[in-house]
Amino acid sequence: MAADRAPDGAVLSATSGALLAAALALPGVAPGLAMAQAAPEQGVIALKYLDYRDWQPGEARMRVRAPALYVLKPLSDSVAVEGSLVYDSVSGASPLYFNTLSGASGIGITEYRTAGDIKVTKYFNRMAIGVGGAASSERDYLSRAASLDVRVFSDDRNRTYAFGIGGENDRIDSVNGIAVGQRRHTVDVLLGVTQVLSAQAIIQSNLAYSAGHGYYSDPYKLLDTRPDRRRTLAWLTRYHQHLPGIDATVKVSYRYLHDSFGSTSHTAEIAWVQPVPRGFTVTPSLRYATQSAADFYFDPPFPAGHVPGALYTADTRLAAFGAITPGLKLAADLGGGWSADVKLEVYRQRSSWRLFSDGSPGIAPLSARWIQAGIAKVF
Amino acid sequence: MVLYRFEFAAMACANELQLWGEDEADVRRAAEFAIADVRRIEAKYSRYRADSVTSAINAAAGGAPVPIDAETAALLGYAERCHRVSGGLFDITSGVLRRAWNFRRQPPRVPSDSELAALTPLVDWTAVEWNERAVRLPRAGMEIDFGGIGKEYAVDRAATCCAERGLAHGLVNLGGDVRVMGPQPGGAPWRVGIRHPRRDDAALASVELFEGALATSGDYERFFEIDRKRYCHLIHPRTGAAASTWQSVSVTAPLCVVAGSCATIAMLARESAEVFLASQAVDYLMVDAHGACRGPLQPAS
Amino acid sequence: MFIRRSCVALASTIAFLLPGCAAYAPPYPWEKGELAQPQMQFDADALDAKIGQHIYTSKEAAAGGYGVGGGGCGCN
């Protein structure tokens, strides 16, 4: 009889908890579990406050305080809107602001910037299309930008191709009257691919090309004269690896960047995301950047034999240097969809920290530190 | 808070939702959503409905691939994983063995080896061709069904549906497959009775659930007896034999779909059942062929 | 010239990065629980990413690569 047959010899080859992990991929079996790259099912509202200070020998300190708001809201199963708003107040002097309003004290002046962006994304079965706009307004600078990005998902959703195009129109009216009604137009294109390598690893690589023309000089810097065209090629690769044994995630990224001003930079970042008991997550991070100087950068003193109108800048941002940013972020899951985080980063720029070659000897070492504190609610 | 109870019939079972809530209209709306989703899953996957996805896939056996949506692909994916971890014991193509094991036939009889041998070529999940977009049963006469997954999946979705509408204390019971969302208000657990496998009117034990699911698979759902030997509806996919090592297996797990598939696999896994259940990190209470209980699940008396 | 130098740098970096990547074993949909966690996603904290990029734009020559259409400011 059938029921009395010999044992079947089936091999039970289970790994611990394998079925639970598999079942969690079924749609809607547990609250708040979404598949990667699907339309967001939950909204997010986040508020952050940034306190930034920097200092350089011989320069006054600059302080920036900036509250920022971010909202993501699904409008339907397949449409989501997200936007952010930031309000900067910049007080004190900086390499940028040092010559601003040179008749005034220079210290205690506060400049304001208001910036916002909004993006609507429509998700289809195998792709998502996003349309965005952004604007930033300061007393002497107005920027408006629009973008279109398309992401195409592979059948198994393990690969995503990204195509983006953006345009930006800027208008510069410096308060010292050097630049009046000056404009700058930029077009950006981006090609990217995101590949899930395994259940524990994901990699993204983006190639971005930017071409702009218009006014690039700094009207607040004496004799600053830059080309009226700038092309930039950036190649960014990011890799995230989850380590199941200790439930940690390692994030690394590398960016190569070269622009037609003649500056080449390499930027590497690593962060370790470590959940700890009681709903806390600790994330130490380290960033290193090294850049070569622009072709028309000259260290002080002012170059002898300079022809008026020839390309020239002494802007330290276009100098050759290396910079290191250690950081630490602490995040807490407060339950009920609430979370809070605080992050401290310390930035130091030194000409001697440049890799591959010497830094610009004339730049003063810049230091900065910033703290951001935020709270977010998922709804 | 008030406890609201909703009873409804679906999937050929008596079902209930028990939901604690402040506002009756809110609770009622959540219950309506949950019940509508259960009926949706029944209509979509019932093999008794000619217009279901399951029937469409089965009707095309041996023919062209049938396009499927993401939900169906996810269920097939879970069925594949169950097949893999059970060494082939859990096989959603094994339903064709019901053609030989007819539990409605009077008088009942055990199918002959040749009857079973004629059907076994049709039982082979590994032969099914499928991906995220389409599925094809390669041999005419092959069938799939989502028994052992579909109802349990509906339980989990109903629970999620209520939880996402803000109900933190509730219970879903579809024909004995149970999932609770959090404890009762005040922190007391839900007490869920496990049916005695040999006595219709008695509970074998009761289990306290604060969170998660409880599902039971037993030899008493559909069966016949010949010469005092019981032949139940759980059939080994390769040998065609009826499971007889355990009278029932009850499993608690975070998700009902996991509890249900673990209980089904354990019923078929003979002496390997406990090793399998331990490997899945679930708790269980099993009743062996002599009526003795075993397993780490502590029944509250 | 500009593009050619860039391509050489890209190619050498690809060659450098590839051996360090994890084994290629793309997961099934039901194996993506970990990937759905915020720490596995790129720019899960949108404001954190915006703030960082904005600060570095004002301190270094380089910017870009993360996306399109962020909008500029007078600090660059």
Side-chain angles (χ1 to χ4, degrees), chain A residues 61-76:
Chain A
R61 294 178 169 214
M62 178 170 79
R63 181 165 189 195
V64 181
R65 296 178 183 90
L69 173 72
Y70 171 81
V71 178
L72 165 69
K73 181 161 175 47
L75 299 180
S76 72

Side-chain angles (χ1 to χ4, degrees), chain A residues 110-130:
Chain A
T110 303
E111 296 284 339
Y112 300 98
R113 181 180 80 108
T114 309
D117 60 76
I118 188 162
K119 180 171 158 184
V120 178
T121 304
K122 166 86 178 161
Y123 291 82
F124 300 92
N125 192 26
R126 290 203 43 211
M127 66 189 302
I129 298 177

Side-chain angles (χ1 to χ4, degrees), chain A residues 87-111:
Chain A
Y87 182 72
D88 292 353
S89 66
V90 182
S91 56
S94 76
L96 172 62
Y97 289 92
F98 188 65
N99 293 325
T100 306
L101 300 177
S102 57
S105 70
I107 294 171
I109 293 168
T110 303
E111 296 284 339

Side-chain angles (χ1 to χ4, degrees), chain B residues 119-133:
Chain B
L119 292 170
T120 43
L122 300 176
V123 180
D124 186 4
W125 166 255
T126 60
V128 175
E129 299 156 18
W130 73 283
N131 61 23
E132 286 252 300
R133 284 176 301 168

Side-chain angles (χ1 to χ4, degrees), chain A residues 34-37 202 238 240 249 251, chain C residues 34-45:
Chain A
M35 300 250 289
Q37 296 162 355
I202 185 165
R238 297 191 272 187
H240 290 183
T249 303
K251 304 178 178 188
Chain C
E34 290 299 344
L35 296 162
Q37 299 298 309
Q39 62 265 30
M40 284 300 279
Q41 287 168 16
F42 298 108
D43 300 328
D45 187 340

Side-chain angles (χ1 to χ4, degrees), chain A:
Chain A
M1 286 198 311
D4 294 326
R5 283 164 197 252
D8 47 74
V11 180
L12 296 167
S13 59
T15 55
S16 184
L19 286 179
L20 179 60
L24 285 170
L26 291 167
V29 294
L33 272 167
M35 300 250 289
Q37 296 162 355
E41 290 176 357
Q42 290 180 298
V44 177
I45 182 160
L47 198 62
K48 269 204 190 344
Y49 183 82
L50 170 72
D51 182 298
Y52 169 97
R53 290 163 203 251
D54 68 23
W55 57 94
Q56 232 171 341
E59 305 266 1
R61 294 178 169 214
M62 178 170 79
R63 181 165 189 195
V64 181
R65 296 178 183 90
L69 173 72
Y70 171 81
V71 178
L72 165 69
K73 181 161 175 47
L75 299 180
S76 72
D77 283 350
S78 66
V79 180
V81 60
E82 64 188 312
S84 71
L85 207 57
V86 61
Y87 182 72
D88 292 353
S89 66
V90 182
S91 56
S94 76
L96 172 62
Y97 289 92
F98 188 65
N99 293 325
T100 306
L101 300 177
S102 57
S105 70
I107 294 171
I109 293 168
T110 303
E111 296 284 339
Y112 300 98
R113 181 180 80 108
T114 309
D117 60 76
I118 188 162
K119 180 171 158 184
V120 178
T121 304
K122 166 86 178 161
Y123 291 82
F124 300 92
N125 192 26
R126 290 203 43 211
M127 66 189 302
I129 298 177
V131 178
S136 170
S137 171
E138 291 157 80
R139 183 147 59 122
D140 54 358
Y141 202 97
L142 177 67
S143 172
R144 282 164 297 187
S147 66
L148 171 74
D149 69 83
V150 177
R151 281 173 289 155
V152 177
F153 311 123
S154 65
D155 283 347
D156 59 6
R157 299 213 159 219
N158 283 335
R159 182 176 298 163
T160 303
Y161 296 101
F163 311 90
I165 183 159
E168 186 179 319
N169 274 322
D170 297 353
R171 183 189 161 106
I172 305 109
D173 287 285
S174 69
V175 293
N176 59 8
I178 298 288
V180 178
Q182 295 285 357
R183 289 180 180 276
R184 186 194 296 171
H185 306 280
T186 315
V187 173
D188 295 292
V189 290
L190 180 138
L191 294 176
V193 60
T194 304
Q195 174 73 49
V196 173
L197 296 171
S198 73
Q200 315 287 347
I202 185 165
I203 192 167
Q204 181 181 71
S205 197
N206 292 340
L207 202 55
Y209 181 73
S210 166
H213 67 273
Y215 187 82
Y216 279 96
S217 304
D218 186 336
Y220 302 112
K221 290 193 163 66
L222 196 63
L223 295 173
D224 191 275
T225 309
R226 307 184 188 185
D228 58 6
R229 281 160 57 81
R230 186 178 195 181
R231 289 161 295 151
T232 305
L233 183 74
W235 186 47
L236 169 71
T237 300
R238 297 191 272 187
Y239 176 72
H240 290 183
Q241 171 78 53
H242 181 249
L243 307 172
I246 48 176
D247 195 28
T249 303
V250 183
K251 304 178 178 188
V252 294
S253 78
Y254 166 76
R255 184 180 65 180
Y256 168 84
L257 202 137
H258 181 75
D259 79 6
S260 59
F261 284 4
S263 177
T264 298
S265 79
H266 303 270
T267 308
E269 282 187 85
I270 183 164
W272 183 285
V273 185
Q274 181 65 60
V276 292
R278 293 164 172 253
F280 288 96
T281 303
V282 181
T283 309
S285 60
L286 187 66
R287 176 187 186 271
Y288 173 73
T290 178
Q291 67 177 53
S292 64
D295 297 336
F296 49 90
Y297 171 83
F298 293 95
D299 262 333
F302 192 71
H306 177 76
V307 181
L311 296 178
Y312 165 79
T313 189
D315 185 347
T316 55
R317 278 175 294 166
L318 297 177
F321 59 79
I324 296 176
T325 318
L328 187 68
K329 184 175 186 175
L330 179 67
D333 182 348
L334 305 176
W338 288 93
S339 61
D341 60 85
V342 58
K343 185 178 183 183
L344 169 69
E345 284 166 286
V346 178
Y347 178 76
R348 286 186 200 282
Q349 214 178 66
R350 298 283 186 278
S351 68
S352 60
W353 289 349
R354 185 185 165 198
L355 260 186
F356 311 124
S357 186
D358 291 336
S360 306
I363 60 167
L366 170 76
S367 299
R369 75 105 182 95
W370 57 95
I371 298 170
Q372 41 172 308
I375 187 157
K377 165 93 170 105
V378 172
F379 62 94

